[in-house]
């Protein structure tokens, strides 16, 4: 087994649940999310020669995963990935209040929320996956976090951060 | 302080989201490698050149399908049926049970029916080879009769036999999960001029002895006998090939799929011509709220049945097929979406009256029904029907 195959397998072993959980939120089904994860890692394996090592391997695989998810939903990619998704919680929703709060967010904010809080990607990785700047990630995340905190009645220390970002 | 509180909010949101989305799921690295084409055997690599050519063909077909929105037909039978002898053990005689069903035709007094075989064991098993059928008992000894078996089990029979008689019939059934583990052998019985002719009830009737190569010797009491039409000729019992038991799927729940044969609602009756291939389309619609994803492609069964004259409630299958559904081009069917599959049905040249002119008049071939069923292993599999006629 070559080094890159081993590295991809390591990401899969460590991060399968994160990928599957976040993708379930994006594609709306645990079953489909599993399929997206499997297909994404398979493509990563097949195209491992394309990975230039100029960023985190996991972020590179995430980028593949978002494209696979898109393909599986049968929609053409006519706009930036970060704005194209209409993420949704899988049915049946396990947390109605959270689901309602998420649905109130814009697609871009929802995607960033999933990548940050479920996939556990850092700002740089989200920026790389979504092809936006880290500053935009920070602003989007702050806005999304503030909106969620308000909807869920959490204390929101990030409002100041949000104003700074705006 | 503010940073600390932000981190706390991050943690709360992360935990709540992960809980809502669930974190349990089956990781399967081997599946990933298989999908990537990296878990193949040496044999696979030796076949790469052949597969490359095949792949180009598939892509070409796929491109055609893409332009019409219809998934092309896959001329592939469920491979597990004919190849099962190497995999499944032969059924123990004690685990094979049989029931005899006979139906009288009001017009002729002849009988049609079937012997239904069932596996009562705990494991899946198979029966293979040609069955022997005979009549036993004093009534049988006192009457001139003969049994006609299919000459070649691999060739279609004259009228009732399935399009393809399987050399082996799988009796896959377990007590916990009953998965279509039965198989039927069709019968045609005419001209009984011995004791009990044309009557119902067990008294004074022969028994039907059914022997299969696994050693099962089943004696089935006959409760109904055909009428006598010519006392100078022997009674004729025709036995036709067993219908295949399609390999079961592992889905345990009913799928939210609705099947429909395209055009069945608007066309009066599809026409099937002997010796030609009938082309039709099946539309599968996801009626649920979640995408339906195909794993391994399921098989489907199709049959063409015709009513028996004088007993229109009884339908006799004249074509029975099983093929794999070409699900590879379909990753998933989204809720509310429909995917259309092209299906081809080879119509045997000798279907109908060629070899059985005397009996075929009892079966109106112009009033048949085509039934298509996805083999899901569930109690209510997606099924579609359409009226058909076989041109004489």
């Amino acid at each position: 087994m070559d080094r890159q195959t081993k590295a991809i397998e390591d990401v899969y072993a460590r991060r399968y649940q994160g990928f599957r959980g976040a993708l379930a939120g994006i594609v709306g089904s645990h079953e489909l999310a599993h399929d997206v994860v499997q297909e994404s890692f398979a493509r990563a394996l097949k195209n491992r020669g394309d990975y230039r090592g100029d960023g985190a391997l996991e972020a590179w695989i995430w980028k593949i995963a978002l494209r696979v998810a898109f393909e599986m939903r049968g929609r053409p990619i006519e706009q930036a990935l970060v704005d194209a998704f209409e993420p949704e919680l899988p049915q049946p929703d396990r947390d109605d209040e959270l689901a309602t709060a998420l649905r109130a967010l814009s697609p871009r904010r929802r995607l960033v929320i999933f990548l940050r809080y479920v996939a556990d990607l850092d700002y740089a990785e989200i920026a790389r996956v979504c092809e936006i700047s880290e500053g935009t990630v920070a602003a989007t995340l702050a806005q999304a976090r503030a909106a969620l905190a308000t909807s869920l009645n959490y204390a929101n220390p990030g409002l100041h951060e949000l104003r700074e970002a705006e | 302080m503010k940073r600390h509180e932000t981190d706390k909010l991050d943690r709360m949101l992360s935990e709540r989201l992960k809980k809502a989305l669930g974190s349990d799921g089956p990781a399967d690295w081997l599946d990933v490698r298989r999908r990537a084409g990296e878990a193949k055997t040496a044999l696979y690599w030796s076949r790469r050149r052949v597969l490359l050519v095949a792949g180009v063909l598939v892509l070409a077909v796929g491109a055609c399908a893409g332009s019409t929105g219809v998934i092309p037909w896959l001329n592939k039978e469920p491979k597990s049926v004919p190849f099962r002898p190497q995999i499944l053990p032969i059924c123990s005689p004690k685990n094979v049970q049989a029931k005899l069903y006979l139906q009288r035709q009001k017009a002729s007094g002849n009988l049609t029916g079937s012997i239904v075989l069932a596996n009562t064991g705990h494991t899946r098993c198979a029966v293979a080879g040609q069955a022997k059928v005979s009549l036993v008992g004093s009534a049988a000894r006192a009457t001139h009769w003969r049994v006609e078996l299919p000459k070649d089990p691999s060739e279609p029979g004259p009228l009732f036999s399935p399009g393809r008689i399987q050399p082996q019939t799988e009796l896959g059934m377990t007590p916990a999960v009953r998965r279509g583990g039965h198989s039927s052998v069709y019968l045609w019985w005419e001209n009984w001029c011995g004791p009990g002719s044309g009557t119902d009830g067990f008294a004074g009737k022969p028994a039907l002895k059914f022997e299969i190569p696994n050693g099962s010797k089943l004696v089935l009491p006959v409760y109904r006998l055909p009428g006598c039409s010519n006392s100078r000729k022997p009674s004729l019992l025709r036995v036709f090939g067993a219908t295949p038991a399609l390999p079961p799927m592992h889905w345990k729940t009913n799928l939210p799929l609705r099947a429909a044969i395209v055009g069945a609602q608007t066309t009066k009756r599809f026409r099937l011509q002997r010796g030609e291939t009938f082309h039709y389309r099946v539309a599968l619609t996801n009626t649920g709220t979640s995408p339906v994803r195909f794993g391994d492609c399921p098989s489907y069964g199709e049959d063409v049945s015709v009513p028996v004259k004088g007993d229109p409630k009884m339908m006799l299958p004249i074509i029975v097929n099983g093929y794999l559904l070409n699900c590879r081009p379909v990753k998933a069917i989204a809720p509310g979406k429909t995917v259309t599959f092209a299906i081809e049905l080879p119509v045997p040249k000798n279907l109908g009256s060629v070899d059985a002119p005397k009996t075929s008049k009892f079966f109106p071939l112009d009033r048949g029904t085509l039934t298509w069923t996805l083999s899901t292993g569930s109690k209510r599999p997606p099924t579609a029907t359409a009226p058909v006629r076989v041109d004489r």
Side-chain angles (χ1 to χ4, degrees), chain B residues 39-334:
Chain B
K40 305 292 185 186
T41 62
L43 183 63
Y44 167 82
W45 295 109
S46 70
R47 291 177 177 170
R48 271 188 81 186
R49 193 173 298 174
V50 175
L51 289 175
L52 186 63
V53 175
V56 170
L57 288 172
V58 167
L59 283 175
V61 172
C64 293
S67 63
T68 60
V70 178
I71 310 297
W73 184 59
L74 186 64
N75 186 7
K76 193 173 180 184
E77 294 177 42
K79 63 181 179 181
S80 52
V81 173
F83 295 121
R84 278 290 158 84
Q86 295 130 30
I87 303 169
L88 288 179
I90 297 296
C91 296
S92 164
K94 67 180 181 184
N95 291 335
V96 178
Q97 286 190 353
K99 282 186 179 177
L100 175 66
Y101 296 92
L102 293 169
Q103 189 76 32
R104 187 184 309 284
Q105 296 175 44
K106 287 178 183 169
S108 67
N110 295 331
L111 303 182
T112 57
S114 57
I115 298 168
V116 178
L117 299 167
N119 171 17
T120 59
H122 291 261
T123 56
R124 294 168 69 192
C125 63
V127 291
Q130 178 65 62
K132 290 180 185 173
V133 181
S134 58
L135 296 171
V136 295
S138 59
R141 287 193 294 274
T143 309
H144 190 198
W145 54 267
R146 70 185 179 93
V147 172
E148 194 176 282
L149 297 169
K151 289 173 187 168
D152 180 355
S154 65
E155 288 296 318
L159 180 65
F160 305 111
S161 65
R164 286 168 182 76
I165 300 171
Q166 301 297 327
Q168 173 190 300
T169 297
E170 181 194 337
L171 297 179
M173 182 190 292
T174 63
V177 185
R178 298 168 67 90
R179 298 183 295 189
H182 67 269
S183 179
S184 297
V185 176
Y186 292 100
L187 304 172
W188 164 267
W189 198 357
E190 65 183 38
N191 191 36
W192 179 264
C193 297
S197 172
T199 64
D200 292 351
F202 290 100
K205 291 189 172 50
L208 194 148
K209 191 175 179 185
F210 188 74
E211 298 174 74
I212 41 182
N214 72 335
S216 290
K217 291 180 181 175
L218 305 154
V219 177
L220 308 169
V222 170
Y223 58 94
R224 183 167 284 161
L225 285 171
C228 178
S229 54
N230 188 339
S231 59
R232 285 180 293 182
K233 285 192 173 179
S235 176
L236 175 62
L237 175 62
R238 281 204 177 105
V239 182
F240 300 96
T243 56
L246 298 172
M249 291 292 297
H250 298 292
W251 293 327
K252 293 173 184 171
T253 54
N254 289 329
L255 287 173
L257 284 178
R258 184 179 64 234
I261 293 175
V262 177
Q265 303 304 317
T266 54
T267 308
K268 281 185 179 175
R269 200 168 276 279
F270 290 124
R271 292 177 63 185
L272 275 57
Q273 292 185 306
R274 293 192 187 99
E276 295 191 4
T277 299
F278 173 60
H279 299 260
Y280 65 103
R281 293 176 179 184
V282 170
L284 285 180
T285 302
N286 182 353
T287 57
T289 54
S290 298
V292 172
R293 181 175 59 84
F294 292 103
D296 292 335
C297 284
S299 56
Y300 66 85
E302 62 184 348
D303 71 75
V304 175
S305 299
V306 292
V308 178
K309 261 187 185 169
D311 191 356
K313 287 182 182 174
M314 182 162 181
M315 302 289 287
L316 276 180
I318 55 174
I319 301 176
V320 179
N321 287 331
Y323 287 100
L324 283 178
L325 187 70
N326 188 14
C327 80
R328 281 286 165 233
V330 185
K331 294 289 183 187
I333 304 178

Side-chain angles (χ1 to χ4, degrees), chain A residues 12 17 20 30 35 117, chain B residues 10 16 21 23-24 28 35:
Chain A
Y12 182 85
Q17 303 295 358
R20 184 171 175 270
H30 288 291
D35 209 18
Y117 291 129
Chain B
D10 280 349
R16 191 162 174 182
L21 290 166
S23 59
D24 51 336
D28 186 352
R35 288 176 186 230

